[in-house]
Amino acid sequence: MISSRELKNKEIINMSSGKSMGFVSDIEINLDKARIDALIVPGQRSFLGMFAKNEEIEIKWKDVKIIGEDVILVNLPATEYSEKTAEADESTGL
């Protein structure tokens, strides 16, 4: 068993792209079904993190493949994640 605190200390790596998505910032829990529905990762910050951060990234629990000692491996299509980060870059002018 793993605690929510332990989950939040793990880095998420997308297996499709091999890139880090960041660290878990929140967990979406379905209380009716007593299960985790998603992990939330903060969106990438704009220029030097000085401006508002972009939308959070929701990783559905079905996409979590392995929870290791240091990292969580997820399998998201590279286009899904890259589209969100590209939209964020466009909105900040980067």
Side-chain angles (χ1 to χ4, degrees):
M1 181 145 24
I2 188 167
S3 71
S4 61
R5 181 182 302 235
E6 289 173 315
L7 278 177
K8 287 186 174 187
N9 287 329
K10 295 184 187 294
E11 184 175 16
I12 296 182
I13 305 293
N14 187 354
M15 294 168 56
S16 295
S17 65
K19 293 184 178 183
S20 170
M21 297 180 70
F23 288 81
V24 176
S25 64
D26 206 356
I27 301 166
E28 187 177 296
I29 298 173
N30 182 327
L31 295 176
D32 293 333
K33 296 182 179 180
R35 69 173 190 210
I36 295 174
D37 279 349
L39 300 176
I40 309 298
V41 178
Q44 296 188 3
R45 293 192 175 268
S46 56
F47 183 67
L48 298 176
M50 295 172 27
F51 303 105
K53 78 174 178 181
N54 302 319
E55 288 185 31
E56 295 174 326
I57 299 166
E58 181 179 295
I59 301 166
K60 297 290 184 191
W61 190 250
K62 68 177 181 61
D63 295 320
V64 174
K65 300 304 175 192
I66 299 171
I67 299 176
E69 191 172 320
D70 298 317
V71 298
I72 298 171
L73 298 179
V74 300
N75 193 15
L76 294 175
T79 54
E80 183 178 323
Y81 175 64
S82 60
E83 284 172 7
K84 288 183 181 184
T85 55
E87 287 173 10
D89 289 345
E90 287 174 13
S91 69
T92 59
L94 296 176

